[in-house]
Amino acid sequence: MISQYLCGTAELNCGLLGRNDMSEYKASLNLLGCCVIRDIFGLHENDGGYQIKRYVQLPSPVSIVNKSPLLREIKIDDVVFLGQNSFVSRCQFLELNKQVEHYIAEDPADFFVVDVAEFRRKLLYFPETDGWLSENYRLKGMLDKYIMAGIVPGTYETYDPLELNESELTRYLTAYCEMLDRLYEREKIILVEVKTGRIPTGCEGDELAKAEAVTSRIFDKRMEYAYEFVKNRMAGVNVIEFPDNVILNYKHKWGRNLLHYENDYYDYALTAIDNIICGKVK
């Protein structure tokens, strides 16, 4: 069983609304981050009793606050997005055009749930446009289409985010925090810590699991750096810490992934969010 950890500005047991009473106050939420915050709500009936308004996934915090790599203007119905999942296409469109902040601000919600787990991704830098894009192995074919269509340069450099100059990285993550501050008051922001899950007992010898263990260490190092930076820079935000003993679920609804967990985690995180929000509506 997962041990619960919750810190920040909200009380853990506010005593106002229980889980069965949350339907009486259906708070609206905007989400920015990885699949974890999607699944906290999406793997519960009726999104856990919340109204999810806008959700953006895939862009690294570094890419969000930097210049666009585009060589020409594109629209959401551009031919480069044909055949792609509409959600992925929208997230790519917002990142390419650097419109993530505008998209979230366009439809305000009661609370803003964020994580910085997309910092685990490598970064693509395009010298010709001084622009940035997040690397994603699932989107490799899309990047090829962007280059062939002439919307981004064909020459780019790939960076581990932790290999960037420290002052440069500090500037980017500070800009990311400033963006969060522009979007919401800190007491309305819920920062979710994300780590990779543990390999299920008995699966450690699997060849894929061995490779996952190597990737897990790389991802956790990156995500911890960004999380600690944002948490320390943004005193007063609500924080949901990642608990001990979170096990990966290889039969997860969305497939095998280092951030796809057993259901105990999602129950824990939803309860933490309930307690934060009910503490704000006294």
Side-chain angles (χ1 to χ4, degrees):
M1 180 63 66
I2 289 175
S3 300
Q4 293 193 13
Y5 298 86
L6 175 65
C7 59
T9 60
E11 298 175 9
L12 181 56
N13 295 300
C14 65
L16 176 66
L17 298 173
R19 171 105 290 273
N20 293 334
D21 299 315
M22 286 302 292
S23 59
E24 297 179 13
Y25 173 68
K26 192 168 185 178
S28 60
L29 307 174
N30 280 332
L31 315 179
L32 173 60
C34 72
C35 57
V36 173
I37 56 174
R38 170 202 68 198
D39 291 342
I40 291 171
F41 305 100
L43 294 183
H44 286 98
E45 186 177 359
N46 297 321
D47 287 330
Y50 292 95
Q51 177 191 0
I52 309 302
K53 301 185 79 173
R54 300 216 160 171
Y55 169 43
V56 180
Q57 187 186 355
L58 302 176
S60 163
V62 172
S63 175
I64 287 174
V65 300
N66 266 296
K67 293 181 180 179
S68 170
L70 290 176
L71 289 166
R72 64 172 175 82
E73 182 181 357
I74 61 169
K75 298 186 182 300
I76 190 63
D77 59 354
D78 195 286
V79 66
V80 296
F81 298 125
L82 288 178
Q84 287 295 328
N85 173 283
S86 59
F87 172 74
V88 171
S89 295
R90 182 173 69 248
C91 291
Q92 281 286 281
F93 172 81
L94 293 171
E95 181 178 6
L96 285 164
N97 285 279
K98 306 306 175 185
Q99 291 183 4
V100 171
E101 180 179 0
H102 173 76
Y103 179 73
I104 295 292
E106 197 174 43
D107 193 5
D110 296 321
F111 291 87
F112 190 30
V113 183
V114 301
D115 66 61
V116 287
E118 302 293 17
F119 188 81
R120 75 190 186 280
R121 303 184 185 281
K122 287 185 177 180
L123 295 158
L124 307 181
Y125 173 68
F126 298 81
E128 184 176 344
T129 55
D130 192 27
W132 295 79
L133 191 63
S134 308
E135 184 184 60
N136 187 325
Y137 71 93
R138 294 191 298 116
L139 303 179
K140 180 62 170 67
M142 294 183 75
L143 176 60
D144 292 341
K145 288 177 68 175
Y146 301 159
I147 293 172
M148 291 181 63
I151 69 170
V152 301
T155 301
Y156 58 89
E157 302 163 3
T158 304
Y159 291 97
D160 178 329
L162 293 182
E163 292 177 352
L164 296 176
N165 178 281
E166 185 175 357
S167 62
E168 185 179 21
L169 186 53
T170 295
R171 186 169 72 253
Y172 297 153
L173 290 178
T174 297
Y176 180 77
C177 292
E178 291 171 347
M179 181 196 75
L180 298 182
D181 274 331
R182 287 193 297 271
L183 286 168
Y184 284 84
E185 297 177 0
R186 292 188 183 183
E187 67 173 11
K188 299 295 186 180
I189 297 174
I190 301 173
L191 175 64
V192 180
E193 181 181 23
V194 175
K195 297 181 181 180
T196 59
R198 290 178 52 188
I199 294 171
T201 301
C203 297
E204 296 88 350
D206 178 82
E207 289 303 314
L208 180 53
K210 290 179 182 178
E212 287 174 334
V214 174
T215 303
S216 176
R217 289 190 289 271
I218 296 170
F219 281 1
D220 280 340
K221 185 177 180 181
R222 293 173 185 164
M223 292 189 294
E224 181 182 9
Y225 182 95
Y227 168 76
E228 291 296 331
F229 184 101
V230 173
K231 183 182 70 171
N232 293 332
R233 174 69 171 70
M234 300 193 68
V237 300
N238 304 282
V239 173
I240 300 177
E241 296 180 356
F242 195 79
D244 297 326
N245 203 34
V246 176
I247 309 298
L248 293 175
N249 180 4
Y250 288 164
K251 296 182 179 180
H252 190 281
K253 175 181 178 179
W254 300 110
R256 181 167 174 167
N257 186 287
L258 288 170
L259 302 185
H260 289 173
Y261 317 125
E262 293 287 352
N263 287 340
D264 279 356
Y265 170 80
Y266 304 113
D267 292 340
Y268 152 78
L270 184 64
T271 299
I273 288 170
D274 287 348
N275 281 296
I276 289 172
I277 289 178
C278 73
K280 301 298 184 184
V281 296
K282 288 183 179 180

